[in-house]
Amino acid sequence: MPAQVPVQNAHGAFVPRTCRSLFTQARRVHSFSRGGSCTGPRACRLTVTAGQQVNQLEANQAAEATPLPQEQGNGSSNIRQKAQQRAPLDRQDAFKSKYIPFNSVKAGRTDDTEQYSLDDVVYRSQDGGLLDVQHDIEALQQIDAAEWKRRFDSRSGRTMWPYGSGVWSKKEWVLPQISDDDVVSMFEGNSNLFWAERFGRESLNMTELWVKQCGNSHTGSFKDLGMTVLVSQVNRLRKIKPDAVQAVGCASTGDTSAALSAYCAAAGIPSIVFLPADKISLAQLVQPIANGALVLSIDTDFDGCMKLIKDVTADSPIYLANSMNSLRLEGQKTAAIEICQQFDWEVPDWVIIPGGNLGNIYAFYKGFKMCMDMGLISKMPRMVCAQAHNANPLYRAYKKGWEHYEPVKAQTTFASAIQIGDPVSLDRAILALGETNGIVEEATEEEMMDAAARADLTGMFNDPHTGVALAALIKLRENGTIGKTDRTVVVSTAHGLKFTQSKVAYHSKQIEGFSGHYANPPTPVKENFGNVMDAIREKFPSMKKYT
């Protein structure tokens, strides 16, 4: 039994730690339930299906009371061992997922005869198209929306394996059939939704501008959200099909390789990354090297690396980890669910996402759509894909009314992770934008760097990709598409610390052709009090009247 550490409750009474946990859980149940018949924490019962109820407090108490072998205190068994001994969740075995052709999704066919187990090593459908992970929504709907909200809210941010992760707190909606013991997690997700109050007010005359800081993650980008799912499934496959999967590989512009190498290192799985030579930042390059991956620096661009990795994985027991593999999208979609959760299950009016290979556009759509199908929200946000002008095939197709698409030769851009001229998930993105009355906007190199620097002056530290999204927002705000009071979320896909080279170049005015309007270079000053004060007065003229 857990150690009976006495603590004082809100009413002044001392109770054992296990009772305290039960008391806290009861308050959570009462707080997060909607539409139930709760009259207080002790009496709260949550509806699971019509005519069927489960006393959640009794279930939690039973789970906590499960004896743990040789337990001396909190540290005598780890969180994974505790997960193995935990009572199974209600209806856990009823939730299933599988691969189906994406073309079937696009055509509205949910009963396609072509389908595959997630344990199959397969990336394409018979017609050569992409695959999509399909969940049994009817089974999931046997638990009502109020209980899903309570379940998700009660898990996030805790240390209970694996549910403390922002991804695995939604496990039933992500990879329901995988064992908790096969999960490879670094407690990713749960990234902050930052109210950009000053930037919104002073620069855009907006009251509801928010930035979803997906870059505040283990490897510094949103790619962790998808990689925890993919590597967890690989971890399972290596146990049941050891000859079929012996390593994992990806082509990358930087962030994918960092995420893959970290999660594979955590699980003891060999990883191989194909990087375009001299096209990613040093911070991105050093991450897979530090994590022990085989790093192949190839004299080509991302599209060339992608062609090579597809050939290699087709002819070897190396598992493909790029977003062509739809497992990653299941993790990435949880960022959309998390946005709804952080807004107390309300939906923003707009969501602006940087787009390169375009899997994230579809992933966010899937997350919002699943929330709506399950009754957790009542509408979809309008989605905006923001592309760099130097790699903008989707923008060009959008401006032509989707009537004509052709890949482009991506030119060098500071937003290196989206320097992709022939995106794998083009059709996915077009579906997502079409279903949400979405928009595609672009940003030049100077526009993205100015937007990032302008927002940095209000306390942020943006990477160039977030600069692309912010530049798109500025344009849509200026032309009146996005209104003053529209609740708008800009998705920041990576941390600014991964792109310090470009920031140094901007602020030192070393970028040819840039005016560097928001540059803030250091001021050289001699070791003299008068010179120091002169420099301060020049920067802050209002101080002159006090000296």
Side-chain angles (χ1 to χ4, degrees):
M1 290 291 290
Q4 303 297 296
V5 181
V7 293
Q8 196 170 23
N9 69 12
H11 303 287
F14 283 89
V15 295
R17 183 182 65 84
T18 49
C19 293
R20 178 195 182 216
S21 176
L22 180 59
F23 181 77
T24 303
Q25 182 65 29
R27 286 188 296 178
R28 284 199 187 101
V29 172
H30 181 63
S31 172
F32 290 117
S33 297
R34 291 169 175 81
S37 56
C38 297
T39 58
R42 295 178 182 273
C44 185
R45 296 172 69 87
L46 297 171
T47 301
V48 178
T49 60
Q52 180 183 18
Q53 293 184 319
V54 173
N55 189 315
Q56 188 65 38
L57 299 183
E58 291 178 0
N60 290 338
Q61 188 177 30
E64 282 203 4
T66 302
L68 300 175
Q70 301 178 347
E71 186 168 36
Q72 302 290 324
N74 286 338
S76 60
S77 64
N78 63 42
I79 56 175
R80 193 184 291 273
Q81 291 169 332
K82 290 179 180 178
Q84 292 170 348
Q85 312 233 358
R86 193 168 54 231
L89 296 171
D90 179 58
R91 297 181 177 272
Q92 177 174 290
D93 294 337
F95 307 138
K96 307 292 183 184
S97 56
K98 60 188 177 184
Y99 293 125
I100 65 169
F102 172 74
N103 285 334
S104 298
V105 177
K106 190 165 63 173
R109 300 192 306 270
T110 58
D111 57 348
D112 200 294
T113 55
E114 184 185 350
Q115 53 187 254
Y116 306 92
S117 165
L118 298 190
D119 291 336
D120 292 333
V121 180
V122 57
Y123 313 112
R124 293 278 191 180
S125 59
Q126 293 173 1
D127 63 4
L130 297 171
L131 296 173
D132 199 54
V133 176
Q134 182 188 59
H135 294 267
D136 187 342
I137 296 297
E138 289 186 3
L140 291 169
Q141 286 173 339
Q142 295 305 303
I143 294 180
D144 67 16
E147 166 60 6
W148 283 122
K149 290 178 183 179
R150 186 212 64 79
R151 189 174 291 193
F152 295 161
D153 288 339
S154 68
R155 292 171 174 173
S156 294
R158 299 178 62 192
T159 57
M160 183 172 65
W161 183 267
Y163 301 123
S165 157
V167 173
W168 296 107
S169 64
K170 287 84 177 169
K171 181 174 182 284
E172 299 91 334
W173 291 22
V174 175
L175 212 59
Q177 291 135 290
I178 197 168
S179 163
D180 290 348
D181 200 44
D182 289 333
V183 170
V184 181
S185 173
M186 298 183 185
F187 286 83
E188 52 289 310
N190 295 319
S191 58
N192 59 313
L193 185 58
F194 170 70
W195 183 31
E197 180 185 15
R198 185 181 164 206
F199 181 64
R201 182 183 68 245
E202 295 182 3
S203 299
L204 299 168
N205 191 26
M206 293 182 71
T207 57
E208 285 279 352
L209 175 59
W210 301 78
V211 179
K212 180 61 172 167
Q213 300 279 12
C214 292
N216 291 1
S217 190
H218 183 74
T219 70
S221 88
F222 81 103
K223 299 293 179 71
D224 292 353
L225 303 178
M227 207 57 73
T228 181
V229 177
L230 183 140
V231 175
S232 294
Q233 180 63 14
V234 168
N235 197 33
R236 168 179 164 80
L237 289 174
R238 279 167 55 85
K239 295 175 183 178
I240 63 175
K241 298 180 177 181
D243 293 334
V245 179
Q246 297 179 21
V248 190
C250 75
S252 178
T253 49
D255 291 333
T256 300
S257 65
L260 174 66
S261 59
Y263 281 85
C264 282
I269 300 171
S271 61
I272 306 164
V273 298
F274 291 44
L275 297 177
D278 303 321
K279 291 182 175 65
I280 68 170
S281 75
L282 289 175
Q284 292 171 301
L285 177 62
V286 77
Q287 287 179 283
I289 290 173
N291 288 137
L294 171 60
V295 178
L296 304 177
S297 181
I298 302 172
D299 186 20
T300 183
D301 57 10
F302 170 81
D303 298 309
C305 288
M306 190 69 218
K307 181 180 184 303
L308 282 170
I309 189 66
K310 286 193 287 188
D311 291 343
V312 168
T313 54
D315 196 39
S316 70
I318 299 172
Y319 192 80
L320 180 65
N322 283 93
S323 58
M324 174 179 158
N325 187 320
S326 53
L327 282 173
R328 277 178 47 196
L329 305 186
E330 294 306 294
Q332 291 168 207
K333 79 182 181 188
T334 63
I337 303 170
E338 203 168 273
I339 288 171
C340 298
Q341 188 175 9
Q342 289 169 312
F343 281 132
D344 199 21
W345 301 106
E346 294 182 352
V347 183
D349 298 301
W350 295 89
V351 177
I352 305 175
I353 309 168
N357 219 15
L358 303 179
N360 54 352
I361 307 298
Y362 183 60
F364 272 78
Y365 163 75
K366 283 195 77 174
F368 288 122
K369 180 69 163 55
M370 199 164 183
C371 281
M372 193 166 77
D373 289 344
M374 294 296 297
L376 278 68
I377 61 175
S378 58
K379 67 171 187 175
M380 295 285 285
R382 292 189 68 182
M383 296 180 64
V384 178
C385 176
Q387 289 209 293
H389 172 76
N390 286 0
N392 63 350
L394 185 71
Y395 175 77
R396 296 185 186 194
Y398 170 76
K399 297 301 285 186
K400 295 175 182 177
W402 305 124
E403 292 181 3
H404 179 68
Y405 163 79
E406 59 184 28
V408 302
K409 180 69 174 177
Q411 304 301 308
T412 301
T413 171
F414 287 109
S416 57
I418 57 175
Q419 187 178 314
I420 299 169
D422 190 13
V424 169
S425 294
L426 175 80
D427 289 340
R428 290 167 168 166
I430 291 174
L431 171 66
L433 293 166
E435 291 293 312
T436 61
N437 191 22
I439 293 172
V440 186
E441 188 52 85
E442 68 168 358
T444 66
E445 295 300 289
E446 188 164 17
E447 286 171 342
M448 77 173 74
M449 295 301 287
D450 276 347
R454 186 177 175 186
D456 287 352
L457 291 173
T458 66
M460 289 184 264
F461 193 68
N462 295 292
D463 69 299
H465 314 81
T466 307
V468 174
L470 290 169
L473 168 63
I474 291 169
K475 291 181 179 181
L476 294 172
R477 183 74 188 95
E478 287 176 347
N479 66 25
T481 301
I482 294 179
K484 174 182 178 179
T485 60
D486 289 353
R487 177 175 281 179
T488 303
V489 175
V490 170
V491 177
S492 178
T493 54
H495 201 291
L497 287 172
K498 299 184 80 168
F499 298 88
T500 53
Q501 291 167 286
S502 62
K503 284 192 173 293
V504 169
Y506 179 88
H507 285 288
S508 59
K509 296 193 174 183
Q510 295 176 352
I511 306 175
E512 186 178 351
F514 277 30
S515 63
H517 183 69
Y518 301 98
N520 184 30
T523 302
V525 182
K526 292 183 179 180
E527 189 184 356
N528 177 280
F529 175 80
N531 290 344
V532 169
M533 291 307 300
D534 287 345
I536 292 173
R537 292 189 190 102
E538 185 177 350
K539 179 69 174 179
F540 306 108
S542 61
M543 288 190 181
K544 290 180 179 179
K545 62 183 178 182
Y546 297 110
T547 57

